Amino acid sequence: MAEARKTFPMSTFAAYIKGVGKEGQKQNITELLAFMTGSDVDAEAEPFAAALAKAWIYEQHPELAKMAGGQVQALGDTVSVLELPEGVKTEVAAIFAKLGEYRKTIADQKGKIADLEKKLAETEGKLSETSKAMADFKGKYEALEASGKGAGEKVIIAAEEKVTALNAQLGDLAAEIEALNASLYANLNNGVYQAGFASSQQAYEEAYGKVFAALDELESRLADGRLYLFGERLTETDLRLFVTLVRFDAAYHGLFKCNRNTLRDMPSLHAYMHRVLALDGIAATVNLDHIKAGYYSIKA
């Protein structure tokens, strides 16, 4: 089988071999390399093709290595160039295939980076919207609290003041009442708000845990059938607990995500709440529609 040959200008060959006037011969050199390698040669692949082809040419014509560019140009007007041997062409093809794989990998990575950047921008936008919503939520709640109590809540406050005065007469329980008041406030009365307004998953889980630990302890305390937290005597602590319990299923369970279970699922606490609700004057302080409208208007 005859060897494949192609004629090129000697100026192109000299520019390729010796770099003489190479800038003006780039297109012709690329054509020469494509012929010799039997492959399409682009700017990234050209250095590999050029090195392999030049090594083969010098191996076949070692005298060219010692010649200057002008001497090569003086060899004639044209040069007949052979294709590279099949083994070398196979090597070139393997290198080009690997380059193609690298290019695809880089393109895929750039695409993934672009997708990640887009998702990051979307996430940052959602976080910004969530932060704004939480700020609005908190602002509306604080405004609701600061706007004054309803008539029913004022009755509770008045009743609480009376019970506080009565507490002074319960010297044997005063220390226990103060201790339970502090625990209720930290873990339950304020705990539901800490869960509802938590700014991180960890803060929410901590507050959520405190709320249900407090409810479990109270459920156990009342399981012996006592009327109130300290036995037969109503104290300030009962009222402090009642105002949270009466709102629990209506607001805190859903809106503040204190949703391990409802108060209805805790029989002792649920019955206790209704005992307090049945006391004279207490039912008049409770309006569930008002409670729901007040809390859920904050979210709106």
Side-chain angles (χ1 to χ4, degrees):
M1 182 176 179
E3 295 177 319
R5 288 177 173 272
K6 187 173 182 179
T7 301
F8 288 90
M10 185 62 74
S11 57
T12 298
F13 185 73
Y16 164 53
I17 292 294
K18 298 297 181 179
V20 179
K22 187 173 182 180
E23 289 301 315
Q25 294 283 347
K26 281 187 175 182
Q27 185 173 347
N28 292 336
I29 291 173
T30 300
E31 183 182 344
L32 183 150
L33 291 173
F35 168 75
M36 291 184 70
T37 60
S39 301
D40 291 332
V41 178
D42 58 21
E44 289 187 6
E46 184 171 328
F48 299 97
L52 286 169
K54 188 179 289 188
W56 182 79
I57 290 172
Y58 281 155
E59 183 180 341
Q60 301 303 310
H61 302 281
E63 70 278 7
L64 291 174
K66 300 176 182 179
M67 296 174 67
Q71 291 175 307
V72 174
Q73 284 183 314
L75 292 176
D77 294 329
T78 60
V79 61
S80 179
V81 177
L82 283 170
E83 284 186 333
L84 294 176
E86 288 302 318
V88 179
K89 289 168 66 175
T90 299
E91 187 177 351
V92 170
I95 291 174
F96 285 5
K98 186 62 69 175
L99 281 174
E101 292 174 7
Y102 288 152
R103 288 174 182 169
K104 184 177 183 305
T105 299
I106 291 170
D108 290 344
Q109 289 175 343
K110 285 181 178 178
K112 290 177 181 178
I113 290 171
D115 289 341
L116 288 173
E117 289 175 342
K118 181 180 177 182
K119 290 177 181 178
L120 178 60
E122 291 173 352
T123 300
E124 288 175 343
K126 290 178 181 178
L127 285 174
S128 178
E129 291 174 3
T130 300
S131 297
K132 184 178 182 301
M134 287 300 295
D136 291 344
F137 190 6
K138 186 176 182 182
K140 289 180 181 179
Y141 166 72
E142 291 173 345
L144 180 66
E145 290 289 291
S147 66
K149 308 291 182 180
E153 289 178 314
K154 290 178 180 177
V155 173
I156 289 180
I157 292 171
E160 184 182 82
E161 290 173 349
K162 291 179 181 179
V163 174
T164 300
L166 289 174
N167 283 349
Q169 303 173 27
L170 303 174
D172 57 326
L173 294 177
E176 292 182 58
I177 289 172
E178 289 302 317
L180 189 50
N181 283 349
S183 176
L184 280 178
Y185 176 78
N187 299 313
L188 185 58
N189 302 127
N190 192 46
V192 290
Y193 291 99
Q194 290 176 334
F197 293 113
S199 58
S200 69
Q201 183 65 24
Q202 181 179 351
Y204 164 72
E205 290 177 358
E206 289 176 357
Y208 177 99
K210 290 194 300 183
V211 166
F212 283 100
L215 288 175
D216 288 341
E217 183 178 339
L218 292 165
E219 175 73 6
S220 177
R221 185 186 186 105
L222 293 164
D224 61 4
R226 65 179 71 191
L227 285 177
Y228 307 113
L229 292 173
F230 290 98
E232 303 299 313
R233 291 181 285 186
L234 182 72
T235 68
E236 172 189 1
T237 313
D238 293 292
L239 293 183
R240 289 180 180 274
L241 175 59
F242 173 76
V243 295
T244 296
L245 295 185
V246 78
R247 289 165 170 76
F248 194 86
D249 287 0
Y252 305 141
H253 178 270
L255 186 62
F256 286 4
K257 295 183 175 60
C258 296
N259 50 14
R260 189 196 72 181
N261 56 259
T262 64
L263 194 68
R264 292 177 182 274
D265 298 321
M266 307 184 85
S268 298
L269 269 174
H270 192 246
Y272 162 81
M273 182 194 71
H274 281 283
R275 282 198 298 276
V276 177
L277 183 64
L279 293 174
D280 289 343
I282 297 297
T285 72
V286 179
N287 184 328
L288 285 179
D289 289 336
H290 174 74
I291 289 171
K292 291 178 182 177
Y295 278 94
Y296 282 88
S297 68
I298 296 173
K299 189 169 185 179

